[in-house]
Amino acid sequence: SQTIHQWPATLVQPVGSPLSLECTVEGTSNPNLYWYRQAAGRGLQLLFYSVGIGQISSEVPQNLSASRPQDRQFILSSKKLLLSDSGFYLCAWSRIGQNTGELFFGEGSRLTVL
Amino acid sequence: QQQVKQSPQSLIVQKGGISIINCAYENTAFDYFPWYQQFPGKGPALLIAIRPDVSEKKEGRFTISFNKSAKQFSLHIMDSQPGDSATYFCAASKNYQLIWGAGTKLIIKP
């Protein structure tokens, strides 16, 4: 069966510090990968998506970046965090070629920037 | 810009009642219309989805009604239970992309 792992689950970072959130998917190959951010009590904002290694599309211009060093690994990074980067970050995957709208989400990483 | 408009923003229903959440979309080229359920502190999980050539889909107490001409779809939760209390998101899917509604926070009162 397929599983998605996301870490760390919680982190508190000072403004201006770097960030690295990691996500890995097991049990499938060539997944589409996504990073979402969710502000408290708000909806889902797509940050990045990737349909293959080296193919990453950014939806929102900001100080975040994403990389996909391996087929089932997706990393969200920042060189200098802003207060506005606080939120609940969700990694998700979907099956390549499947257009049923089914995304499988990780447990999320809650980031607080102070 | 493609949008999916979801209402209401929040909803309180008595246990055993029917919860209804509505969504409207603007683009006619979507392939699927899924609904996701999210509990606090967790990632969303797919609840039920419908294709645009189907007018209704039922899974247990959850039903999607789809009106293609009106570009509207809705989620009905029959016999609502306290365990259904969560945030619900509708979405519209095209290829590998989802356009999300803003979410509805549903509270079921015992």
Side-chain angles (χ1 to χ4, degrees):
Chain A
S1 62
Q2 300 85 16
T3 56
I4 178 169
H5 302 283
Q6 187 179 341
W7 70 93
T10 306
L11 67 164
V12 180
Q13 296 284 97
V15 170
S17 65
L19 171 73
S20 181
L21 301 178
E22 192 163 340
C23 172
T24 59
V25 180
E26 297 178 355
T28 189
S29 297
N30 302 317
N32 300 318
L33 295 172
Y34 309 80
W35 277 112
Y36 282 89
R37 178 169 62 198
Q38 187 174 32
R42 303 293 295 275
L44 295 159
Q45 180 187 34
L46 178 63
L47 301 176
F48 301 93
Y49 66 92
S50 172
V51 297
I53 295 177
Q55 301 179 57
I56 298 174
S57 298
S58 173
E59 288 293 304
V60 182
Q62 55 202 329
N63 68 323
L64 299 173
S65 62
S67 61
R68 185 170 178 172
Q70 299 181 41
D71 178 45
R72 292 170 291 171
Q73 185 183 25
F74 208 22
I75 297 173
L76 182 69
S77 303
S78 174
K79 292 182 179 178
K80 288 186 177 182
L81 284 169
L82 306 173
L83 286 173
S84 58
D85 291 324
S86 293
F88 191 46
Y89 288 81
L90 290 156
C91 181
W93 71 274
S94 67
R95 292 186 176 90
I96 188 169
Q98 183 170 330
N99 62 349
T100 60
E102 184 170 21
L103 265 60
F104 301 91
F105 284 85
E107 289 290 292
S109 298
R110 187 164 302 282
L111 170 66
T112 302
V113 182
L114 301 175
Chain B
Q1 185 178 0
Q2 300 175 358
Q3 286 189 1
V4 175
K5 296 182 180 179
Q6 183 173 347
S7 63
Q9 188 174 4
S10 61
L11 180 63
I12 300 174
V13 175
Q14 292 289 339
K15 178 183 175 182
I18 302 174
S19 303
I20 302 174
I21 304 171
N22 300 299
C23 286
Y25 63 98
E26 299 179 347
N27 187 312
T28 58
F30 294 116
D31 299 315
Y32 266 84
F33 296 87
W35 285 87
Y36 283 77
Q37 180 187 56
Q38 184 181 28
F39 293 106
K42 302 293 185 181
L46 181 68
L47 186 62
I48 186 173
I50 195 168
R51 289 173 7 203
D53 57 350
V54 176
S55 60
E56 185 175 281
K57 183 175 182 179
K58 184 176 181 179
E59 289 186 1
R61 296 184 294 109
F62 300 90
T63 300
I64 300 178
S65 298
F66 187 81
N67 186 329
K68 190 172 183 178
S69 61
K71 298 183 185 178
Q72 295 175 347
F73 57 111
S74 60
L75 175 69
H76 291 63
I77 306 175
M78 311 300 288
D79 187 26
S80 299
Q81 299 297 311
D84 297 330
S85 296
T87 298
Y88 292 81
F89 293 94
C90 64
S93 170
K94 178 65 177 178
N95 296 326
Y96 48 81
Q97 288 279 42
L98 284 177
I99 307 299
W100 295 86
T104 296
K105 185 174 183 179
L106 174 64
I107 297 173
I108 307 300
K109 284 196 166 183

